[in-house]
Amino acid sequence: MGQKVNPLGIRLGIVRDWTSRWYAGKKQFPMHVHTDFRVREFLKEKLAEASVSRILIERAAKKVNITIQTARPGIVIGKKGEDIEKLRQETAALLGMSVNDVRLNIAEIRKPELDSQLVADSIAQQIEKRVMFRRAMKRAVMSTMRSGALGVKVRVSGRLNGSEIARTEWYREGRIPLHTFRADIDYGLSEANTTYGVIGVKVWIFKGEVFDKRELAQQQAAEAEGAAPPAAPPAAPLAAAAPAAPAAPAAPETPAQA
């Protein structure tokens, strides 16, 4: 089961929420699904260098709210918000709606090392730049575990290093309980377009178990809004304590280390 089913799709309604949130009748449903797909493809193509993880689409009455989760919000917004306004106009034209009815929100990802889609994209980009795939995989696994993940698994498939026979290689650290529905597992898929073919990259990141869906929503909201402020207060006491503590032992410690 863990190998055959998408880890995000099987957890919908348990730990995960839908990326498109709206209700439509039988006639409008296929059109809305196709439009959402086109909007996502368009935005990902436009913001290819902005490290976009996922795009959330909400439809209420005759208005559309689109939330772009990105690790580089500055690139999306542009100078004085020029780029975001242009993007909003193009998205409204794609949706066939007026600009006033389309709203674009930018959500910053504080820890890109814990986002599976961004990790997969970074590995794919390194492979395209002819970096050794094993080195790229090991580096990604180490940085993800250092950021606080409980487990990570990376798998690459295709003509690795240009070999004639395609094969699959993977690394895993920690645990990835794919059969546990309450496990918060983030899954990302990316492709590296090399001169000798396409190499697929899959990443699974285990962040912990969720016993209450509201806890996960609160945690994600706290990460999005208040991740920066709590980091500032501890920095002041450390800076104040630093000059006082090492005053006496500073002289004996440095030669010992040297």
Side-chain angles (χ1 to χ4, degrees):
M1 182 177 73
Q3 295 177 5
K4 304 294 184 295
V5 181
N6 188 301
L8 304 181
I10 202 169
R11 288 171 173 80
L12 284 175
I14 304 169
V15 173
R16 286 266 160 191
D17 204 352
W18 283 258
T19 51
S20 290
R21 283 184 282 185
W22 40 263
Y23 178 80
K26 284 184 180 180
K27 292 181 180 178
Q28 295 175 322
F29 192 91
M31 188 178 66
H32 283 355
V33 170
H34 182 61
T35 309
D36 284 6
F37 172 76
R38 285 175 60 200
V39 167
R40 285 197 176 92
E41 291 295 305
F42 167 74
L43 289 174
K44 281 181 181 176
E45 188 180 335
K46 277 279 182 181
L47 306 170
E49 298 177 1
S51 300
V52 174
S53 171
R54 58 182 58 86
I55 296 161
L56 311 176
I57 299 174
E58 289 183 45
R59 294 174 189 263
K62 293 183 179 179
K63 296 190 177 182
V64 176
N65 286 340
I66 300 172
T67 304
I68 302 169
Q69 296 183 353
T70 172
R72 299 176 183 173
I75 296 175
V76 181
I77 296 165
K79 288 182 180 179
K80 297 180 182 177
E82 291 175 2
D83 293 355
I84 191 78
E85 194 57 39
K86 188 181 176 185
L87 201 66
R88 186 181 165 201
Q89 291 171 1
E90 291 173 346
T91 307
L94 193 65
L95 288 163
M97 302 171 71
S98 69
V99 181
N100 296 329
D101 293 337
V102 177
R103 187 176 173 187
L104 285 183
N105 305 316
I106 309 299
E108 184 182 1
I109 297 171
R110 304 278 181 182
K111 291 184 178 179
E113 298 87 6
L114 288 177
D115 192 290
S116 60
Q117 187 59 49
L118 296 183
V119 173
D121 287 342
S122 73
I123 294 171
Q125 286 168 12
Q126 289 178 60
I127 292 172
E128 285 177 357
K129 292 174 184 173
R130 299 177 183 268
V131 174
M132 295 292 287
F133 71 93
R134 285 194 188 92
R135 187 186 299 170
M137 289 165 70
K138 284 179 181 176
R139 197 183 298 163
V141 167
M142 285 172 61
S143 65
T144 302
M145 291 301 289
R146 209 180 295 128
S147 298
L150 297 178
V152 58
K153 179 181 172 185
V154 178
R155 182 167 142 185
V156 294
S157 303
R159 291 184 60 186
L160 303 175
N161 285 342
S163 61
E164 288 294 321
I165 299 174
R167 66 183 193 277
T168 300
E169 290 206 17
W170 57 275
Y171 284 103
R172 185 181 66 201
E173 198 167 323
R175 64 192 193 97
I176 307 288
L178 292 174
H179 292 242
T180 310
F181 286 161
R182 66 172 177 266
D184 181 18
I185 292 179
D186 197 11
Y187 170 74
L189 169 67
S190 188
E191 291 180 348
N193 296 303
T194 63
T195 52
Y196 41 81
V198 177
I199 291 178
V201 182
K202 291 182 179 181
V203 177
W204 294 260
I205 297 176
F206 175 48
K207 300 178 183 177
E209 294 187 1
V210 179
F211 295 95
D212 187 1
K213 199 176 174 185
R214 282 174 294 180
E215 285 180 20
L216 183 67
Q218 290 171 2
Q219 184 183 342
Q220 288 174 347
E223 283 178 6
E225 295 172 11
L238 281 169
E253 274 181 13
T254 42
Q257 288 173 358

Coordinates of all heavy atoms in Angstrom, one line a residue, residues 38-50 52 55 87:
R38 N -4.6 24.5 -15.3 CA -4.0 25.4 -16.2 C -3.4 26.6 -15.4 O -2.3 27.1 -15.7 CB -5.0 26.0 -17.2 CG -5.3 25.0 -18.3 CD -6.4 25.6 -19.2 NE -6.1 26.8 -19.8 CZ -6.9 27.7 -20.3 NH1 -8.2 27.4 -20.3 NH2 -6.5 28.8 -20.9
V39 N -4.1 27.0 -14.4 CA -3.5 28.1 -13.5 C -2.2 27.7 -12.8 O -1.3 28.4 -12.8 CB -4.6 28.6 -12.5 CG1 -4.0 29.5 -11.4 CG2 -5.7 29.3 -13.2
R40 N -2.3 26.5 -12.3 CA -1.1 26.0 -11.6 C 0.1 25.8 -12.6 O 1.2 26.2 -12.2 CB -1.4 24.6 -10.9 CG -2.2 24.7 -9.7 CD -2.1 23.5 -8.8 NE -2.9 23.7 -7.6 CZ -4.1 23.4 -7.4 NH1 -4.8 22.8 -8.4 NH2 -4.7 23.6 -6.3
E41 N -0.1 25.3 -13.7 CA 0.9 25.1 -14.7 C 1.5 26.5 -15.1 O 2.7 26.7 -15.3 CB 0.4 24.4 -16.0 CG 0.1 22.9 -15.7 CD 1.3 22.1 -15.4 OE1 2.3 22.1 -16.2 OE2 1.3 21.4 -14.3
F42 N 0.6 27.5 -15.3 CA 1.0 28.8 -15.7 C 1.9 29.5 -14.7 O 2.9 30.0 -15.0 CB -0.2 29.7 -16.0 CG 0.0 31.1 -16.1 CD1 0.7 31.6 -17.3 CD2 -0.3 32.0 -15.1 CE1 0.9 33.0 -17.4 CE2 -0.1 33.4 -15.2 CZ 0.6 33.9 -16.4
L43 N 1.4 29.4 -13.4 CA 2.1 30.0 -12.3 C 3.5 29.4 -12.1 O 4.5 30.0 -11.8 CB 1.3 30.0 -11.0 CG 0.1 31.0 -11.0 CD1 -0.8 30.8 -9.8 CD2 0.5 32.4 -11.1
K44 N 3.5 28.0 -12.2 CA 4.8 27.3 -11.9 C 5.8 27.7 -13.0 O 7.0 27.8 -12.8 CB 4.6 25.8 -11.9 CG 4.0 25.4 -10.5 CD 3.8 23.9 -10.5 CE 3.3 23.4 -9.1 NZ 3.0 22.0 -9.1
E45 N 5.3 27.8 -14.3 CA 6.2 28.2 -15.4 C 6.7 29.6 -15.2 O 7.9 29.9 -15.4 CB 5.4 28.1 -16.7 CG 6.3 28.2 -17.9 CD 5.5 28.1 -19.2 OE1 4.5 27.4 -19.2 OE2 6.0 28.7 -20.2
K46 N 5.8 30.5 -14.8 CA 6.2 32.0 -14.6 C 7.2 32.1 -13.4 O 8.1 33.0 -13.5 CB 5.0 32.8 -14.4 CG 4.2 33.2 -15.6 CD 4.9 34.4 -16.3 CE 4.2 34.9 -17.5 NZ 4.9 36.0 -18.1
L47 N 6.9 31.3 -12.4 CA 7.7 31.5 -11.1 C 8.7 30.3 -11.0 O 8.9 29.8 -9.9 CB 6.8 31.6 -9.9 CG 5.7 32.7 -10.0 CD1 4.7 32.5 -8.9 CD2 6.3 34.0 -10.0
A48 N 9.3 29.9 -12.1 CA 10.2 28.8 -12.0 C 11.4 29.0 -11.1 O 11.9 28.0 -10.5 CB 10.7 28.4 -13.4
E49 N 11.9 30.2 -11.0 CA 13.0 30.5 -10.2 C 12.7 31.0 -8.8 O 13.6 31.4 -8.0 CB 13.9 31.6 -10.9 CG 14.4 31.2 -12.2 CD 15.2 32.3 -12.9 OE1 15.3 33.4 -12.3 OE2 15.6 32.1 -14.0
A50 N 11.4 31.0 -8.4 CA 11.0 31.5 -7.1 C 10.8 30.4 -6.1 O 10.3 30.7 -5.0 CB 9.7 32.3 -7.3
V52 N 8.7 27.7 -5.8 CA 7.3 27.6 -5.4 C 7.0 26.1 -5.0 O 7.3 25.2 -5.8 CB 6.3 28.0 -6.6 CG1 4.9 27.7 -6.3 CG2 6.5 29.5 -6.9
I55 N 0.5 25.5 -4.8 CA -0.5 26.6 -5.1 C -1.9 26.2 -4.6 O -2.4 25.2 -5.1 CB -0.4 27.0 -6.6 CG1 0.9 27.5 -7.0 CG2 -1.5 28.0 -6.9 CD1 1.2 27.5 -8.5
L87 N 1.2 39.6 -12.6 CA 0.8 38.2 -12.5 C -0.7 38.0 -12.2 O -1.3 37.1 -12.8 CB 1.7 37.5 -11.4 CG 1.8 36.0 -11.4 CD1 2.6 35.6 -12.6 CD2 2.5 35.6 -10.2

